[in-house]
Amino acid sequence: MGDLQSLRVFINCLDQQSLPRILQICSGVYFQGSVYELSGSEVCLSTGDLVKIIGLELLSVSCEEIDTGTSFELPIQHSGQFRLIAEDLPYNTIEEIVGLCPVGVDAFGSFTFISSSELTVDNFTLPAGKQLTLLSVELDEDGERRARCQLVGQNVASAELLLPLSLKGDFYECEGDRSYSLQEITSSVRLSSRRFRSTNVKNSGGPLIFSPVYEIKAIMQMRKDVVKFPSSLEVDVQDVTEQFQNFVFITPLSMAEVASQPKESFPTMAEILDGPEGNQFFNCSWFQELQKGRHLVLHGWGDTPMVLASTPKGRKGKQYFLISQRYGGQMRRRAREFRSVYELFLASSQSPGLKVSVSQDCEEAEEEGIPALSVGEHLEVLGMASVDRHKDESGAAQKVESLICKRTIEVEDEDDEDDEDNSEELALPLFMAGHFVEKLSDNKKYSLTDLMNSSLPLDIKVVTRDKELEKDPLMGLPALKLEETFKETTVLTSLPSKPDLCFELPVHWLQMSLCFTSDHLPWSIGEPPKLHVETVTEVSENFYYEYHKLTSKAEEPPPRPPKRKPSASEAPKKSPKSRPSISLPNLASTMTQQLEDLSLGQTKAKRPPALLPPDNSLVQPPPLFPRKSSSIAESTSQPNMYVTSPSMAQKSARRLSDQDHDYESIDETLKNTHDSIMHY
């Protein structure tokens, strides 16, 4: 049983290679039954409790000024440097120095000391005040342990001495010129217990004592989850690892740790300690069962080949699936559709000898090197090549990356097929748009294993459901794209109420903790049930994009197409019967000018001219539609200004001359102008 000491001192002196260690709470401010909220979890530290430390993580460093007693914390990445302060108390023997200080030249410097009195060793006299550096401890010919030290003088060459460990005297440590970082101090057992002074002249201050603050990960005897608390708690503990080696703690296991257990540990019962709350990766039924406190049957683990698949976007949006290699449904290949030549290039790089049919006509653009394509023509992709394009305005020839295809032309006269070759090669620029449909050479049914050995992606349709599944979610889908294959470590699991209906838990995508229990398996001894595995797992869009984020490979973007010039065939044709359009900005500026003229109060009232198109000879009056009957008040609206009517102009001039004022109301003018536009 270890000595009683504070938690801080025990952790600072603990060798992490010796973990796990079992501690017993002995005394401190944490009295019997006290509960504290630490690091987001309740921790109850009571006298007599057993705590199993399973991990340490350095959080910060606590610094205490010896002279003032004040303390503060520094981050572990602090860039300042500190110098070691020599101890004032002397060492009485060389053995005491060897026991308390490092032996040999290590990464953090060696121990240098002086003797306050003259020393005589083997007829050699060492004057007082000479510096000695401890190098190593050796055995001499008589089997006596001696300390090899290096003597460095100001005017003499370096020499080495062997001092017996029993040599007595007053030995004092020498203060060196070396500086240490906070990282070096906290990682050395010798340095972490020493005093230091800052090398910063302005803020050197008094002597400092550094104490690392760790976050302790531990298992407690009355809790099923891992607790975390800082090492700075004022608690006295005692190391009882040897006495409680056989004490059973509940050990929380992550999914990765479950998958690292020996095969002989399965099947077994387990309890969920922390469910995967907040995990938005799965849309399947079994995910809803993974709640805290639920019990599971773990049948084993293994590496399962899987396929990531997706559906085309439909009314319910896209769906995504993980399909296990065990899937027993039958599938037929489905023709893929391509919207550009670049898509053809990508598909042909994975499926050599790709054959497609043209599903939409394409007009020829000779200046861009785009050939004409007709619906129904058959193309076979041969390869890639750089093709010379017509010279540009500067006269320089341009190279265009193109897809070389073999085009087969259908001939109506069957007698000519044997006499002439109905195929030709043509180059399709990668930037060319088009519509193509893959030609499939067979209509047979495939298993998922057969297609996984083919080049993916593939478009398929499930035609025969997996009879092992109660409900096959892939059956009835109009199309399914098998995108890529990968291996996933899974844990074969079932619920105790249905031990034969299993599902596979992907280890790397479930952040949850379990613990093995001693409960009996839900079947008779020696009579395990026949297992039926759910081989299709629906995943969310978050899973799909997160997966591609982790496995994405740097690919070159598609080639940027050159700037296209409109060809003669694409020039807009002007119909001779079309009416010239009226420019809306000109119409707005004319209306604004009318308002300005009216607001100036001109002495001679003039009616604004009617807005007419530029060329009156081409203007045809618009057809007059029958209008609804209006009241007398509504009949005073402005007539259509696009219809020339002398009687209207005379009536309007007469109405203006009878008024008392020589200007019109702006509101009325706006209303009249609005009516003119609307009536048109």
Side-chain angles (χ1 to χ4, degrees), residues 588-603:
S589 61
T590 306
M591 293 171 58
T592 305
Q593 184 62 38
Q594 292 178 11
L595 297 178
E596 291 177 354
D597 294 343
L598 292 172
S599 62
L600 293 176
Q602 299 171 346
T603 56

Side-chain angles (χ1 to χ4, degrees), residues 459-529:
D459 288 358
I460 58 98
K461 179 178 174 59
V462 177
V463 294
T464 305
R465 73 176 186 89
D466 186 351
K467 298 179 180 179
E468 293 290 327
L469 302 178
E470 292 184 357
K471 183 179 180 182
D472 190 343
L474 305 182
M475 191 66 189
L477 294 177
L480 190 66
K481 175 180 284 188
L482 305 181
E483 299 196 10
E484 54 185 300
T485 62
F486 62 97
K487 279 191 176 182
E488 177 65 33
T489 303
T490 60
V491 177
L492 192 61
T493 310
S494 65
L495 300 176
S497 58
K498 300 177 181 179
D500 58 325
L501 300 180
C502 300
F503 44 88
E504 295 172 315
L505 300 180
V507 166
H508 300 104
W509 297 95
L510 283 173
Q511 300 299 324
M512 57 184 293
S513 61
L514 308 171
C515 70
F516 290 169
T517 66
S518 57
D519 298 342
H520 294 292
L521 295 170
W523 57 75
S524 301
I525 299 176
E527 297 180 2

Side-chain angles (χ1 to χ4, degrees), residues 199-383:
T199 57
N200 189 341
V201 179
K202 295 182 180 180
N203 301 317
S204 59
L208 298 172
I209 294 180
F210 297 108
S211 178
V213 178
Y214 293 91
E215 182 182 65
I216 301 175
K217 297 180 180 179
I219 305 171
M220 302 184 69
Q221 61 186 118
M222 301 304 295
R223 295 179 66 98
K224 296 180 180 180
D225 53 347
V226 175
V227 296
K228 300 178 182 179
F229 52 89
S231 62
S232 57
L233 295 182
E234 297 296 334
V235 178
D236 291 336
V237 296
Q238 196 172 23
D239 190 346
V240 293
T241 305
E242 301 299 329
Q243 289 75 19
F244 290 89
Q245 284 185 347
N246 298 325
F247 188 85
V248 178
F249 286 86
I250 294 177
T251 305
L253 300 173
S254 65
M255 292 301 300
E257 291 171 335
V258 170
S260 65
Q261 300 299 312
K263 298 285 187 177
E264 297 77 19
S265 303
F266 302 92
T268 185
M269 297 294 296
E271 181 183 349
I272 300 177
L273 300 179
D274 287 312
E277 287 87 1
N279 190 313
Q280 303 297 326
F281 289 150
F282 301 95
N283 293 334
C284 48
S285 58
W286 55 255
F287 182 72
Q288 309 301 326
E289 302 292 338
L290 304 181
Q291 302 295 329
K292 182 176 181 179
R294 292 285 182 90
H295 288 77
L296 302 174
V297 183
L298 306 183
H299 298 270
W301 61 270
D303 294 328
T304 306
M306 288 188 168
V307 179
L308 179 63
S310 62
T311 64
K313 190 173 183 180
R315 294 181 179 179
K316 297 182 179 180
K318 294 188 68 172
Q319 291 178 276
Y320 307 93
F321 300 94
L322 289 181
I323 310 175
S324 173
Q325 187 182 27
R326 304 178 185 180
Y327 179 75
Q330 295 290 312
M331 312 169 181
R332 279 198 178 100
R333 291 189 57 184
R334 189 173 180 271
R336 291 175 287 179
E337 297 183 3
F338 308 99
R339 298 280 180 169
S340 66
V341 176
Y342 185 73
E343 291 183 13
L344 277 182
F345 162 67
L346 293 179
S348 64
S349 61
Q350 299 175 345
S351 304
L354 179 66
K355 296 181 180 181
V356 297
S357 296
V358 180
S359 58
Q360 185 171 322
D361 292 337
C362 177
E363 295 184 1
E364 180 181 9
E366 185 177 354
E367 68 280 1
E368 298 181 5
I370 298 178
L373 297 176
S374 301
V375 174
E377 291 182 343
H378 304 299
L379 302 177
E380 181 181 355
V381 180
L382 302 179

Side-chain angles (χ1 to χ4, degrees), residues 426-597:
L426 71 162
L428 305 180
L430 288 188
F431 62 81
M432 173 181 170
H435 293 76
F436 311 94
V437 178
E438 182 181 15
K439 290 183 62 179
L440 298 179
S441 57
D442 62 77
N443 194 31
K444 57 189 271 188
K445 296 180 181 180
Y446 294 90
S447 66
L448 182 63
T449 306
D450 297 334
L451 296 180
M452 289 176 69
N453 297 326
S454 305
S455 297
L456 300 183
L458 287 176
D459 288 358
I460 58 98
K461 179 178 174 59
V462 177
V463 294
T464 305
R465 73 176 186 89
D466 186 351
K467 298 179 180 179
E468 293 290 327
L469 302 178
E470 292 184 357
K471 183 179 180 182
D472 190 343
L474 305 182
M475 191 66 189
L477 294 177
L480 190 66
K481 175 180 284 188
L482 305 181
E483 299 196 10
E484 54 185 300
T485 62
F486 62 97
K487 279 191 176 182
E488 177 65 33
T489 303
T490 60
V491 177
L492 192 61
T493 310
S494 65
L495 300 176
S497 58
K498 300 177 181 179
D500 58 325
L501 300 180
C502 300
F503 44 88
E504 295 172 315
L505 300 180
V507 166
H508 300 104
W509 297 95
L510 283 173
Q511 300 299 324
M512 57 184 293
S513 61
L514 308 171
C515 70
F516 290 169
T517 66
S518 57
D519 298 342
H520 294 292
L521 295 170
W523 57 75
S524 301
I525 299 176
E527 297 180 2
K530 182 180 178 181
L531 303 182
H532 303 277
V533 183
E534 189 172 334
T535 53
V536 181
T537 302
E538 184 173 358
V539 295
S540 65
E541 188 178 26
N542 292 338
F543 177 96
Y544 181 81
Y545 288 111
E546 190 67 22
Y547 171 82
H548 282 292
K549 188 187 299 183
L550 297 175
T551 60
S552 60
K553 300 178 182 178
E555 295 183 357
E556 295 184 359
R560 187 175 182 179
K563 295 181 179 180
R564 298 184 59 180
K565 297 180 181 179
S567 59
S569 61
E570 295 178 348
K573 299 179 181 180
K574 186 175 181 181
S575 174
K577 296 183 180 181
S578 62
R579 297 183 59 203
S581 60
I582 301 174
S583 175
L584 292 180
N586 294 339
L587 177 60
S589 61
T590 306
M591 293 171 58
T592 305
Q593 184 62 38
Q594 292 178 11
L595 297 178
E596 291 177 354
D597 294 343

